[in-house]
Amino acid sequence: MTIDELVRRTLHDWSDEAQIPTDLASKALGKRRRVRGRTFAVVAGATAAVVAGALTVPALLQGAGGGDTRPAIAVLTDPSPSTETVGDLESTPPKTLVAAGGTALYSYYVWDEERIPNGRQVLRRTWYRYDKGRQTYERTPWAWLDVAQGGQSVAVMETVPARRVGVITTPGDEVRWIDLERPAGAVSWSPDATKLLVTNYGGNPDESYPLVNNSREMLPTTRTGYTVVDMDSGQTAFHPLEPDENNRFGGRLDFAWSTDGTLVWEHNSTPPGTKKFYDLDGNPRQGPPGAADTYETAGVSPDGRWIAARSPDKNAAMGLKDVRTGEVISVKPIEGQWVEQLVAWADDDHVITWACESKGFNSCVGSEFRNRLLLVDVNGGEAVPLTGYRENSQRPGSWVPVFTRR
């Protein structure tokens, strides 16, 4: 089962794939090819003298009932190295750093499928990590990888499933291995990089039956619970947790951290499109305001104001809900762009998305699976492309980004 098939099943009638329009890059760059590694920054209200030849883009976001269109400007530099927006429009997957605001693409994986002896299919990941010294993404030998805040430390697994996880704190350092009580299928850093969250499985969560009549049958999930690893002490605590009895997806059901790292969550099948939260001891807990109501990878904005929501407008796939007021604004398609998935928050006002090249409402040029990453201003305005196109995200050899706070 491919990544996109799993997302599609999970989100049901939500749009799960996103892509970006081809003509945006030429507009943003004055129809000239961008030199790899070129820096973009968002400077609202910049003067024409500062902008020089920069672009003004129509608004992407509009209120549910409004037609407000506000201009935005893409400028070439940002004096702050920690918040500059950089991308690689000529490569997919990217070769140079992709980052915006407080978020960076420190790792990604390329997926493939392999037939194994028991007649099943298994999804394999080849992981790449950004090397700050070489300023490019380097292939790694690990079966699973997660980069901590700041991009320095990395947690790794040799196989999936694995009986231990490794931690590398400095490039070139030896791996610090931590043994686990139960086999693991995934590991992720807490937001403050003081803990690891391990999702435990009895078998390989990426196994499925081969594709038959364009459909792939998932195996029942073997998930057994989750383990919290304290990095200071090295102590591990396993918390058994049965999968949702209403789960119809099987396979991989990883846990993830809440924004502040005080809770963990899993996808909830009833009602669909929601999350269930637990504390670090395995007890059910109420999630942060609005956080339980979205499946989108981006989750809640850093300031806690915005969450992904269904668009109230049939001519838009995605919307953003103001947690404080309940107002929903639509992520409108403009200039051939159709935003379909919110991937990561760059800051309180900018979100990284997948978007497709649209040939009309609810329709993409060629295929909805041809896509690239796009930075969107939630206050209405700017759309800055960050990568080249994935030609078909459903096919083996496609890449999947993993964003981290920087």
Side-chain angles (χ1 to χ4, degrees):
M1 183 176 189
T2 69
I3 293 298
D4 294 305
E5 286 173 320
L6 178 57
V7 171
R8 178 171 289 102
R9 289 188 183 187
T10 304
L11 300 186
H12 294 277
D13 57 340
W14 282 53
S15 296
D16 56 73
E17 271 302 320
Q19 296 126 316
I20 283 183
T22 51
D23 59 352
L24 179 62
S26 60
K27 294 175 192 284
L29 300 178
K31 297 186 178 180
R32 294 176 296 175
R33 293 182 67 84
R34 170 184 173 276
V35 177
R36 192 173 292 128
R38 187 174 183 176
T39 301
F40 293 89
V42 175
V43 183
T47 65
V50 175
V51 173
L55 161 74
T56 298
V57 186
L60 261 177
L61 288 150
Q62 299 177 357
D68 176 37
T69 300
R70 290 160 284 179
I73 298 170
V75 188
L76 298 183
T77 59
D78 185 320
S80 172
S82 63
T83 60
E84 64 181 354
T85 301
V86 293
D88 183 358
L89 302 190
E90 293 184 344
S91 303
T92 182
K95 295 180 180 178
T96 59
L97 183 65
V98 173
T103 300
L105 180 66
Y106 285 133
S107 64
Y108 66 84
Y109 63 86
V110 175
W111 66 270
D112 202 349
E113 290 180 316
E114 176 185 342
R115 188 69 65 88
I116 53 180
N118 60 11
R120 297 172 181 170
Q121 202 99 336
V122 63
L123 184 147
R124 305 287 189 194
R125 296 171 178 82
T126 300
W127 285 88
Y128 292 77
R129 179 190 176 191
Y130 184 70
D131 186 314
K132 292 184 178 181
R134 298 183 179 180
Q135 298 186 347
T136 189
Y137 293 94
E138 298 284 349
R139 180 172 177 169
T140 78
W142 308 113
W144 190 274
L145 179 152
D146 190 57
V147 182
Q149 176 182 352
Q152 192 72 9
S153 299
V154 58
V156 300
M157 297 194 313
E158 301 161 288
T159 61
V160 174
R163 292 308 301 251
R164 63 180 185 174
V165 296
V167 175
I168 307 170
T169 55
T170 303
D173 278 2
E174 292 186 2
V175 183
R176 171 192 174 189
W177 292 107
I178 301 170
D179 293 327
L180 301 170
E181 179 182 338
R182 303 292 180 92
V187 59
S188 63
W189 287 96
S190 63
D192 62 1
T194 64
K195 297 179 178 64
L196 293 175
L197 173 63
V198 176
T199 304
N200 300 102
Y201 292 91
N204 191 333
D206 294 321
E207 283 190 28
S208 64
Y209 291 110
L211 190 68
V212 177
N213 297 325
N214 294 320
S215 178
R216 193 181 308 284
E217 182 179 349
M218 293 299 300
L219 297 173
T221 185
T222 61
R223 198 190 71 185
T224 57
Y226 65 89
T227 297
V228 177
V229 181
D230 183 88
M231 293 307 301
D232 287 337
S233 65
Q235 293 184 338
T236 64
F238 171 71
H239 304 291
L241 192 62
E242 294 292 331
D244 184 348
E245 63 181 9
N246 295 310
N247 166 57
R248 293 178 291 116
F249 309 112
R252 181 171 288 280
L253 298 172
D254 295 342
F255 290 94
W257 292 100
S258 64
T259 302
D260 64 2
T262 61
L263 302 171
V264 302
W265 60 266
E266 65 172 333
H267 292 304
N268 192 9
S269 60
T270 308
T274 59
K275 299 173 181 175
K276 290 191 293 188
F277 286 82
Y278 305 88
D279 63 22
L280 302 190
D281 294 320
N283 303 306
R285 290 289 183 262
Q286 187 76 25
D293 300 327
T294 177
Y295 256 121
E296 288 297 302
T297 307
V300 183
S301 61
D303 62 0
R305 177 180 178 182
W306 299 105
I307 60 168
R310 295 174 184 265
S311 171
D313 189 330
K314 65 179 181 180
N315 294 323
M318 292 302 307
L320 287 169
K321 180 179 179 180
D322 190 323
V323 175
R324 302 172 304 177
T325 66
E327 178 190 8
V328 179
I329 58 177
S330 297
V331 185
K332 294 285 190 176
I334 68 160
E335 301 293 328
Q337 299 170 90
W338 182 267
V339 174
E340 292 182 322
Q341 186 180 355
L342 309 184
V343 181
W345 286 94
D347 54 41
D348 294 335
D349 300 315
H350 299 86
V351 63
I352 298 169
T353 73
W354 287 111
C356 73
E357 182 181 8
S358 174
K359 62 180 180 181
F361 295 128
N362 292 300
S363 180
C364 297
V365 173
S367 167
E368 64 175 303
F369 306 116
R370 181 177 184 270
N371 51 67
R372 66 179 178 184
L373 293 172
L374 179 73
L375 179 67
V376 174
D377 180 358
V378 303
N379 293 309
E382 181 157 40
V384 178
L386 298 175
T387 66
Y389 286 102
R390 296 190 303 186
E391 289 303 322
N392 192 323
S393 59
Q394 285 265 288
R395 292 178 181 171
S398 184
W399 65 282
V400 178
V402 180
F403 284 93
T404 305
R405 303 302 294 175
R406 58 174 175 169

